[in-house]
Amino acid sequence: MSMYAVTNPATGEVEETYETFTDEQIAATVDKAQKAYATWGKTSIAEERAELLRKVADLYLEREDELAEIINHEMGKKLDECRVEVEFSSAIYRYYADNGPTFMADTPIKREAEGSAVIRHKSVGPLLGIMPWNYPYYQVARFAGPNLMLGNTIILKHAPLCPKSAEAMERIFLDAGFPEGAYSKVYATNEQAADIIADPRVRGVSLTGSERAGTAVASEAGKALKKVVCELGGSDPFILFSTNNMDAVVEAAVAGRYENCGQVCNGSKRFIVIDSLYDEFLDKFKKASATVELAPLCSKAAAERLAGQVSRAVEAGATLEYGDGKNDGAFFKPTILTNIPEDSPVRYEEFFGPVAQFYRVSSEEEAVALANDTSFGLGSYVFTTDEEQGERIADELETGMTYINEVGADSCELPFGGVKNSGFGRELGSLGMGEFVNLKLVCTNAVGRF
């Protein structure tokens, strides 16, 4: 069976297969990316790049139903969530089309000597993107959008679960009028991906994936002296100190945990609740969980891994507070774990699915210590009626992002990324154009001696 295939997780049926690229096809793709870069990367056509990105944004919306149907079959996401993802991806391309020229503007420097100096934002060359299956369009857009606007060219190695969405995106860029090679997909093995990273014409690599994948890709990039951006998941804390509306907090918590069947890198995963609110919050969260209808996880194998984590947690002494912790094929019901022992290794793992961990704390200090007691550092959520407390806790949490009194706030203009084992680098916002860029100093002596 081919490595790249559409296997519908709802049925287990293999619906389509795609041939893995040969080494010759990989080499030809890199050749095209380099040739396209020779003209695509010129600063003088920045407005032309912006106009083509707008066409991409339009095509995403025109093909919304088709694109949604593709990823519904590839990784199981509900159709309404699929459409939201398509719309968000369109918005990202439009955001960089509208704002990219401003982000690329020269930054003047006041010189101590006579003359002038500026920092010029220049592209660097072809880039490899290694993207995951949980958001097949959105993850690609937040990498490709800013870098195409900047003038880099893109080679996409998508997850083996997502060959059809990879094909559909490549078609959109071609139909929008992008030159051949400006954006290309490859169906590559991990070994072939390592060869692409090593190719001297490829100037950087962006990965969204697991810690193991991040270690492998960063190692290959380091050996080749290439810039790398990694977003490697998280075990985000949702901390509740006080509220004037418990029902609204529970609604936010449920949305933060069960969106995309819990397969969200910065989803709320560990609920840390002050003692006086713990029982009420847990009771209402359980009742709300009973009303949640979930799509399948991305695969039966993913559901089996999650069931294994729950089993190991219970064996270590955790309480299975809600749900049975078992999979039915690729389906997995909402599950709640409490009392996970500190010495249990599973306490420090990411549960990538609809499993919530609950912790009771008695003080602000205990909440912060527990929230930071993880190797991850992607996002965090703080709910409080005390504005000063919210700001204070945000400063103490060891994460790349903190949201106070909100979840699901990801937006085009807000930088996304983490610290610790959640990776390094930022995507989206103005910072999204600052990773794979040559910040070139141009100094001019205006004295007139030459």
Side-chain angles (χ1 to χ4, degrees):
M1 182 180 295
S2 173
M3 175 182 173
Y4 285 83
V6 176
T7 303
N8 190 330
T11 64
E13 178 185 353
V14 178
E15 298 181 346
E16 297 180 66
T17 59
Y18 293 73
E19 291 299 322
T20 304
F21 275 27
T22 64
D23 290 345
E24 290 74 20
Q25 287 175 298
I26 297 287
T29 301
V30 177
D31 286 343
K32 288 189 293 184
Q34 177 61 30
K35 289 176 182 177
Y37 175 67
T39 54
W40 181 254
K42 293 185 180 299
T43 305
S44 60
I45 65 166
E47 289 296 340
E48 179 182 331
R49 294 197 296 267
E51 188 56 36
L52 291 179
L53 279 180
R54 290 189 186 95
K55 291 181 179 178
V56 168
D58 290 341
L59 286 173
Y60 266 75
L61 296 182
E62 289 176 18
R63 302 176 186 181
E64 181 175 337
D65 288 343
E66 172 194 349
L67 295 173
E69 189 74 25
I70 288 172
I71 60 174
N72 170 259
H73 283 250
E74 281 184 333
M75 51 74 64
K77 193 192 303 269
K78 292 180 180 178
L79 276 172
D80 60 341
E81 290 186 328
C82 294
R83 293 189 182 95
V84 169
E85 181 180 343
V86 174
E87 293 165 5
F88 191 14
S89 301
S90 171
I92 290 171
Y93 290 117
R94 196 174 307 281
Y95 173 82
Y96 283 107
D98 292 344
N99 295 283
T102 299
F103 296 154
M104 293 171 61
D106 289 354
T107 303
I109 300 174
K110 185 177 180 180
R111 294 188 65 177
E112 295 294 326
E114 292 188 65
S116 63
V118 297
I119 298 294
R120 195 152 288 159
H121 298 72
K122 305 282 288 183
S123 54
V124 295
L127 305 174
L128 173 64
I130 302 175
M131 296 291 115
W133 47 262
N134 58 328
Y135 288 94
Y137 302 126
Y138 158 65
Q139 301 277 181
V140 175
R142 70 186 200 187
F143 159 64
N147 284 298
L148 287 168
M149 183 62 237
L150 187 61
N152 297 316
T153 55
I154 300 297
I155 301 169
L156 169 69
K157 179 198 177 298
H158 218 324
L161 275 66
C162 300
K164 193 168 185 176
S165 56
E167 181 181 60
M169 285 185 282
E170 184 180 58
R171 174 47 52 194
I172 283 176
F173 282 98
L174 291 172
D175 290 349
F178 276 63
E180 186 178 9
Y183 180 99
S184 305
K185 57 111 174 50
V186 291
Y187 299 139
T189 64
N190 291 340
E191 291 74 20
Q192 289 172 320
D195 291 339
I196 295 173
I197 295 171
D199 192 303
R201 295 168 296 179
V202 175
R203 297 313 312 156
V205 55
S206 179
L207 164 79
T208 298
S210 66
E211 289 179 272
R212 185 181 65 175
T215 299
V217 169
S219 176
E220 294 294 336
K223 287 190 293 185
L225 296 178
K226 304 289 177 68
K227 174 71 180 287
V228 59
V229 168
C230 287
E231 193 266 274
L232 307 177
S235 188
D236 291 12
F238 180 111
I239 309 174
L240 173 58
F241 289 115
S242 58
T243 179
N244 292 323
N245 189 339
M246 180 62 81
D247 290 340
V249 174
V250 171
E251 183 180 354
V254 167
R257 178 70 296 246
Y258 297 130
E259 178 193 342
N260 198 23
C261 205
Q263 300 167 122
V264 184
C265 297
N266 64 323
S268 308
K269 298 184 176 77
R270 295 180 296 139
F271 294 90
I272 300 170
V273 186
I274 201 72
D275 183 80
S276 60
L277 298 178
Y278 181 88
D279 291 332
E280 181 186 3
F281 181 74
L282 175 57
D283 181 63
K284 289 191 171 185
F285 190 94
K286 285 194 289 187
K287 290 178 179 176
S289 296
T291 68
V292 173
E293 294 183 7
L294 296 177
L297 271 67
C298 69
S299 67
K300 180 181 178 181
E304 289 174 342
R305 283 195 297 271
L306 190 62
Q309 284 181 290
V310 173
S311 177
R312 285 188 282 110
V314 173
E315 289 173 1
T319 300
L320 187 58
E321 187 75 29
Y322 181 84
D324 61 12
K326 298 178 181 178
N327 66 294
D328 179 9
F331 289 87
F332 202 101
K333 295 178 180 179
T335 299
I336 299 173
L337 292 170
T338 60
N339 304 314
I340 303 176
E342 288 187 32
D343 60 353
S344 170
V346 76
R347 175 170 170 152
Y348 300 96
E349 297 175 4
E350 178 182 23
F351 284 77
F352 211 59
V355 177
Q357 304 173 53
F358 270 70
Y359 300 90
R360 184 194 299 263
V361 293
S362 59
S363 67
E364 182 178 302
E365 293 74 20
E366 185 181 2
V368 171
L370 178 55
N372 289 337
D373 185 25
T374 174
S375 62
F376 294 106
L378 190 55
S380 50
Y381 306 87
V382 179
F383 280 74
T384 177
T385 57
D386 182 339
E387 184 176 342
E388 291 184 359
Q389 182 185 49
E391 293 290 337
R392 182 171 64 249
I393 298 302
D395 286 341
E396 294 178 3
L397 293 174
E398 298 169 351
T399 60
M401 304 173 286
T402 296
Y403 301 89
I404 302 173
N405 294 331
E406 61 180 339
V407 299
D410 297 352
S411 188
C412 302
E413 74 279 7
L414 300 178
F416 188 104
V419 296
K420 298 163 71 172
N421 286 15
S422 287
F424 37 82
R426 292 296 181 268
E427 296 176 308
L428 296 179
S430 61
L431 300 186
M433 289 187 70
E435 294 293 346
F436 299 102
V437 60
N438 175 10
L439 297 173
K440 186 172 184 177
L441 172 66
V442 179
C443 278
T444 303
N445 185 318
V447 176
R449 291 181 297 155
F450 301 97

